[in-house]
Amino acid sequence: QDQVSALRRLSLRAELLAAAAKRRKDAALANVVICEKRDKKAVKFTTAGVPYPFASREQFEKSLRNPLGTEWNTRATHVDMVAPRISTVKGAVIQPIAEHRKGAPVDYKRKK
């Protein structure tokens, strides 16, 4: 009786393991192991959606694939790519943002 139930448990376990192995992303790939766990440290580097200037995920990923370094681009191109969008003269007065362009005010008071 004991041996039969032990064998039955082992066969049931083997079937469950085989079914789980078929559901894995790397089931069809030989010599490949894909970790399906969520990486908590990588979460802060991922975005929930597509950032503003991009219309699709493909556009955003294409912009990330473009290298910015001087190793892959000429010096002039590198300078153009990393230049700030807006430049001001030192000591110049910068006008405040217009009211219609401001977002909703943020309340930084601590909750008690």
Side-chain angles (χ1 to χ4, degrees), residues 6-20:
L7 289 174
R8 187 173 179 190
R9 276 185 286 170
L10 285 175
S11 65
L12 183 60
R13 179 176 164 75
E15 289 174 17
L16 289 174
L17 288 174

Side-chain angles (χ1 to χ4, degrees), residues 3-5 10-11 17 19 26 32 34 49 59 70 82 84 95 100 102 105 111:
Q3 289 179 344
V4 174
S5 62
L10 285 175
S11 65
L17 288 174
D26 57 6
V32 175
I34 298 174
Q59 284 181 346
T70 54
V82 298
Q95 296 299 319
H100 70 279
K102 288 184 182 178
K111 293 181 179 179

Side-chain angles (χ1 to χ4, degrees), residues 30-97:
N31 300 324
V32 175
V33 177
I34 298 174
C35 180
E36 296 177 349
K37 293 180 182 176
R38 184 172 183 223
D39 189 2
K40 293 178 183 177
K41 292 181 181 177
V43 170
K44 62 182 173 183
F45 298 111
T46 58
T47 58
V50 180
Y52 163 67
F54 304 103
S56 68
R57 179 179 169 193
E58 289 77 23
Q59 284 181 346
F60 177 58
E61 288 180 357
K62 186 178 178 185
S63 72
L64 293 177
R65 275 190 238 108
N66 187 21
L68 298 176
T70 54
E71 296 86 11
W72 297 278
N73 299 301
T74 62
R75 183 167 175 77
T77 305
H78 172 72
V79 169
D80 289 340
M81 291 169 74
V82 298
R85 292 184 197 152
I86 300 171
S87 62
T88 58
V89 179
K90 193 181 231 181
V93 177
I94 300 173
Q95 296 299 319
I97 298 174

